[in-house]
Amino acid sequence: MTFSASRAGRVLRPIGVPLDLGQNRRGVDMGPSAIRYAGLAPRLRRLGYSVEDGGNLEVAERETLGPGGVPFLAEVARVCGQAYRAGRDAVAQGLLPIFLGGDHSISAGTVAGISDSEPVGLLWVDAHADFNTFETSPSGNLHGMPLAALLGRGAPELVDIGRPGPKIEPRDVVLIGLRDIDAEERVQLKDSGILVFTMREIDELGVAVVARQAIERLRHRSRLHVSLDMDVLDPSEAPGVGTPVVGGLSYREAHLLMEMLAETGAVGSVDVVEVNPMLDSSSSTAKLAVELLASLLGSRIL
């Protein structure tokens, strides 16, 4: 793992993925616009980066796809294929892609794409495990399945995005902030080999200890991908998310986690997902997403 990276000349590429087909609550398709409108590019430029926006990937309107089910799965897989290529190409060009969701199903494509050339360490920062398959999910919502798909579990349409089979190994995954998990998903996760820090571990150990242990776990990888679901924060901090769960990270805990990950110098790509401006209060969640991205990319108090 590389510790220290110059921002001079480093180019960031925001890529919008306005996908809302992974769940039933509408609004996350407006997340990329909300995050941009909250000042993403100027905030990152103030840190010394160049920002070259990659625009939005094309996503079909929900109303054109019918009632859901298989048509939604096919479209999610198609969009994730676009995300795969966008991530692969950005990494090949030496850029740092920042994927703006959309719901968390986008990560079946983004993580697959950025790991095309070499394995990465994955930090999945989320209230939910997203480790379901159609066989285990009570709801059938696709945004609860991307982590399972990345490890080779579930629907072939999601597992085989970009290239066949698993995209990442359990030893390369750390899940942080978990507090809402389905019964069968819990069984599968315990047997997975993934390192999991629930909110109980964060309460007991403190977020700094958790961050250090997560970094140590992934030290064998030269690049890290951070998949940040804004519902990892407590709803009092981030009200504009589709699946809020009480008891999440505080404002300062989330910033400290991002700051400590930034200090590794190894963060090479990011997702920020599940921002729903229809449920937000004065764009507070989108603004917080921008500030957390800034912390992850090197903003410090001193």
Side-chain angles (χ1 to χ4, degrees), residues 41-159:
R43 183 69 181 89
L44 298 179
R45 289 188 179 110
R46 288 201 299 274
L47 292 175
Y49 293 103
S50 296
V51 180
E52 296 180 0
D53 201 300
N56 283 356
L57 303 184
E58 178 189 352
V59 181
E61 292 292 335
R62 178 187 289 251
E63 289 74 15
T64 69
L65 297 173
V70 173
F72 279 18
L73 174 60
E75 180 63 6
V76 168
R78 188 191 69 80
V79 174
C80 284
Q82 291 185 76
Y84 182 102
R85 293 185 290 274
R88 177 198 62 194
D89 294 348
V91 171
Q93 295 167 32
L95 310 177
L96 192 156
I98 301 173
F99 294 96
L100 309 175
D103 66 52
H104 216 159
S105 61
I106 74 170
S107 298
T110 64
V111 177
I114 58 89
S115 63
D116 181 84
S117 60
E118 64 174 315
V120 300
L122 174 60
L123 293 122
W124 198 270
V125 186
D126 196 335
H128 308 89
D130 296 343
F131 206 64
N132 269 313
T133 64
F134 281 114
E135 290 71 34
T136 65
S137 173
S139 68
N141 286 341
L142 295 170
H143 74 161
M145 303 182 186
L147 185 55
L150 288 166
L151 272 75
R153 301 172 181 235
E157 292 90 339
L158 298 178
V159 171

Side-chain angles (χ1 to χ4, degrees), residues 5-268:
S6 171
R7 298 174 210 162
R10 192 74 192 271
V11 180
L12 310 181
R13 175 172 287 172
I15 301 167
V17 192
L19 185 67
D20 72 342
L21 302 175
Q23 37 80 60
N24 295 322
R25 179 169 274 179
R26 306 300 303 273
V28 291
D29 56 320
M30 296 184 286
S33 295
I35 296 169
R36 289 181 174 114
Y37 186 74
L40 176 65
R43 183 69 181 89
L44 298 179
R45 289 188 179 110
R46 288 201 299 274
L47 292 175
Y49 293 103
S50 296
V51 180
E52 296 180 0
D53 201 300
N56 283 356
L57 303 184
E58 178 189 352
V59 181
E61 292 292 335
R62 178 187 289 251
E63 289 74 15
T64 69
L65 297 173
V70 173
F72 279 18
L73 174 60
E75 180 63 6
V76 168
R78 188 191 69 80
V79 174
C80 284
Q82 291 185 76
Y84 182 102
R85 293 185 290 274
R88 177 198 62 194
D89 294 348
V91 171
Q93 295 167 32
L95 310 177
L96 192 156
I98 301 173
F99 294 96
L100 309 175
D103 66 52
H104 216 159
S105 61
I106 74 170
S107 298
T110 64
V111 177
I114 58 89
S115 63
D116 181 84
S117 60
E118 64 174 315
V120 300
L122 174 60
L123 293 122
W124 198 270
V125 186
D126 196 335
H128 308 89
D130 296 343
F131 206 64
N132 269 313
T133 64
F134 281 114
E135 290 71 34
T136 65
S137 173
S139 68
N141 286 341
L142 295 170
H143 74 161
M145 303 182 186
L147 185 55
L150 288 166
L151 272 75
R153 301 172 181 235
E157 292 90 339
L158 298 178
V159 171
D160 294 335
I161 289 166
R163 61 187 191 274
K167 308 306 189 298
I168 196 161
E169 299 179 20
R171 71 189 184 105
D172 293 336
V173 182
V174 179
L175 203 160
I176 298 175
L178 183 64
R179 59 189 184 279
D180 185 16
I181 184 169
D182 298 316
E184 185 58 30
E185 188 183 27
R186 179 180 292 109
V187 174
Q188 299 299 319
L189 191 60
K190 284 182 176 179
D191 294 336
S192 70
I194 293 171
L195 178 60
V196 178
F197 293 101
T198 69
M199 284 306 302
R200 172 166 179 165
E201 279 80 53
I202 292 172
D203 289 341
E204 290 182 343
L205 301 173
V207 75
V209 171
V210 166
R212 291 189 192 103
Q213 291 185 10
I215 291 165
E216 183 61 32
R217 165 78 168 217
L218 301 176
R219 184 176 287 273
H220 61 287
R221 294 301 181 203
S222 61
R223 283 194 298 124
L224 300 179
H225 178 88
V226 178
S227 195
L228 172 62
D229 189 321
M230 290 299 291
D231 70 23
V232 75
L233 284 110
D234 193 81
S236 63
E237 308 280 7
V241 297
T243 49
V245 186
V246 297
L249 295 181
S250 70
Y251 178 93
R252 265 311 314 159
E253 285 175 327
H255 274 286
L256 177 57
L257 175 60
M258 296 299 111
E259 289 161 355
M260 293 181 70
L261 294 177
E263 288 172 357
T264 68
V267 175

Side-chain angles (χ1 to χ4, degrees), residues 28 230 235 237-242 274-281 284-286:
V28 291
M230 290 299 291
E237 308 280 7
V241 297
E274 301 284 357
V275 172
N276 189 331
M278 291 180 65
L279 305 174
D280 210 357
S281 174
S284 61
T285 305

